[in-house]
Amino acid sequence: MKNFIAILILLFFITNQIDAQETKLTKEERLEWFKDAKLGIFIHWGYYGVKGIGESWSMYHKKISYEDYMSQGKGFTAENYNPEEWAKLFKKVGARYAVLTTKHHDGVALWDTELSKLNVKEKTPAKRNLVKPFVQALRNQDLKVGLYYSLCDWSHPDFDVVFPRPNTKKEYPQKGQRSLSKWQRFVKFYKGQLKELSDAYHPDLYWFDGDWEKSSEQWRAQSLKDSLLAWNPKTIVNSRLKTYGDYSTPEQGIPVVRPNGAWEFCMTMNDSWGYYPTDTNYKPVSQIIRTFVEVIASGGNLLLNIGPKPDGTIAIEQEIRLLALGEWIKKHEKAVFNTKAGLPYGHFYGPTLLSKDDSKIYLCLFDSPKNYISLKGIQNKVKSINVVGSNQQLSFERNGGAAWNNIPGILRIEIPKKENLDSNVTVIEVELENTLKLYRGHGNAVELN
Ligand code: GLC
């Protein structure tokens, strides 16, 4: 009988394990929505907007003392914070996800964490959890939820910093942790905060930052990633968890060479992440749209940053840029969504996109073309060519090449009428017969004439 029960118990564990393995999603499966997202909105919201200074770094670079930096909390009111409006705006712009700084390097949490008193509910006139309604609002608009979390924490007493800081122990209740080393306590702390965020909000994406201060082993990166996936099996993680991220996160400088795998380019609209009213060096709308086009043409997403004011409103300069990008996206929707990275270098001078079924090529024109638009190395016959967002069909002819030797000639496409050129980026749709077949040769002698 005993043996029988033991066998039953064993069977129970084995089947459970098989179940767990079967339900475990692969990285590609977890990344599915992300690879099609194209646009995300990054939100840097924190104390730093009160004085309009650099997020956390102003303290690190000793431009402001720790005490003065933290005194900004008194002006962080969130009195006009309307996450529903934010989410509606993001949706209108065409974003598929948004990422909020739940805790920047300064250590201030935007939710009512039980692990530190340094949170907006305790310390600011906002007096409430600001993450919860944000998550709810995104979900109401069917947007994916991204939570930014800085691993380094320049307020935590167990995390050493390079600038003068008062004793912050009273802000961090650490009952029964005396026997632990400093670093063990800190690991327990950030893992605890991440568990709070995971349990309460089940984020679709974790956006880590500040991993550079310690090694992968110190961050316990592997076990942290395992825990995140155990808590939320579908979640994805950016590359700043040392080598344990699911996708790469280039920042500010647009990649010149296509990154491998899934990726996202994060960029500010001016030169600051947070609200910084004296920074008026805003990128023109055309640059933002061009950047977006270049990024999606290389298979990435743009994570475009805004820095809301301490009262929760979005500066007009930022709203204008979001809306302008949104208008462009709406007009060119079919080239933006349901597409993937475009042709390899050499076929067209400018970014291109391919429909997912490989039956259409989208050519993106940054400037007004002269004489004709040329496309090289396309073996397929072409069905039709039109200007996206207008009804104009473009005539075309093929010239040169040696079709009988599989060397396609140049496709010469008529220039769109002036009124059909978009003031930012014009998109030309080339509809192919059958799926794309490229000529990638170096050019040989034509042996049979
Ligand atoms: C950098 C900065 C940080 C900012 C982040 C956004 O890592 O340290 O302040 O939040 O970039 O990508």
Side-chain angles (χ1 to χ4, degrees), residues 41 65 139 150 190 264 291 355:
I41 307 296
S65 68
R139 295 247 148 89
S150 169
Y190 71 72
E264 161 206 71
T291 301
S355 65

Side-chain angles (χ1 to χ4, degrees), residues 42 44 55-57 101 104-105 148 154 207 209-210 212 240 249 251-252 266 273 305:
F42 208 0
H44 274 71
E55 77 292 346
S56 307
W57 289 102
T101 48
H104 206 262
H105 314 329
Y148 168 111
W154 299 338
W207 213 100
D209 199 13
W212 59 82
R240 298 189 192 170
T249 314
E251 170 176 340
Q252 297 291 42
C266 63
W273 293 101
N305 183 71

Side-chain angles (χ1 to χ4, degrees), residues 352-413:
T352 62
L353 291 138
L354 274 175
S355 65
K356 276 198 188 162
D357 65 359
D358 283 321
S359 73
K360 293 185 186 98
I361 309 172
Y362 294 96
L363 311 175
C364 306
L365 307 176
F366 282 2
D367 302 300
S368 307
K370 279 189 196 144
N371 300 323
Y372 56 88
I373 299 162
S374 64
L375 180 59
K376 288 180 284 181
I378 307 296
Q379 305 268 28
N380 313 57
K381 283 194 176 149
V382 171
K383 270 196 203 160
S384 65
I385 302 184
N386 66 82
V387 187
V388 177
S390 85
N391 291 324
Q392 191 184 353
Q393 293 288 325
L394 301 175
S395 63
F396 54 92
E397 61 181 308
R398 216 182 272 261
N399 189 272
W404 63 94
N405 243 30
N406 283 330
I407 305 173
I410 287 180
L411 199 61
R412 281 199 327 233
I413 307 168

